[in-house]
Amino acid sequence: MRTQLQEDSGFTAEQFETPDVPIPWNAIGLATLLFSVGSLLIVLGVMIKLGYILSDVWLDRGTPFLIIGCIMFIPGAYHMYLAYYAYYKYPGYDFNMIPDWD
């Protein structure tokens, strides 16, 4: 009876392995969109503020473009950074760190 208890510890090797996490393509697509549009808005805002765009219609839109561009750029860049590091399997990074819509 004692040898049977020592052989069966109740644990399996599979329960200590982390399962592969599917790549959240929708979240990465949204991050790419936020990063791209945010970058574009920041560039437009800087060009307006520096005077490269001189149209009267655009002169009041420099600051809002900069603010909205930063609001979109920062989370997009952060999540693309996480996706890059998770894809190349850097230690401490995985796709669980990226919020998904499911």
Side-chain angles (χ1 to χ4, degrees):
M1 179 73 173
R2 182 158 173 83
T3 59
Q4 183 183 11
L5 290 176
Q6 288 177 349
E7 291 175 8
D8 184 23
S9 63
F11 297 104
T12 61
E14 291 83 24
Q15 77 186 80
F16 295 107
E17 295 175 3
T18 56
D20 289 334
V21 179
I23 299 175
W25 291 111
N26 289 339
I28 293 172
L30 177 63
T32 304
L33 179 72
L34 288 172
F35 178 78
S36 302
V37 174
S39 299
L40 179 69
L41 289 176
I42 288 173
V43 168
L44 282 174
V46 167
M47 289 178 69
I48 291 170
K49 284 296 191 183
L50 293 178
Y52 289 106
I53 299 176
L54 297 173
S55 174
D56 291 335
V57 176
W58 290 92
L59 286 180
D60 293 337
R61 298 180 184 170
T63 304
F65 277 2
L66 283 172
I67 292 171
I68 294 171
C70 288
I71 289 172
M72 293 177 77
F73 176 82
I74 292 170
Y78 176 70
H79 285 95
M80 285 184 60
Y81 163 81
L82 288 178
Y84 176 84
Y85 274 61
Y87 182 77
Y88 287 107
K89 298 185 189 322
Y90 280 77
Y93 293 92
D94 61 355
F95 288 112
N96 281 332
M97 300 174 77
I98 301 173
D100 200 6
W101 299 331
D102 293 339

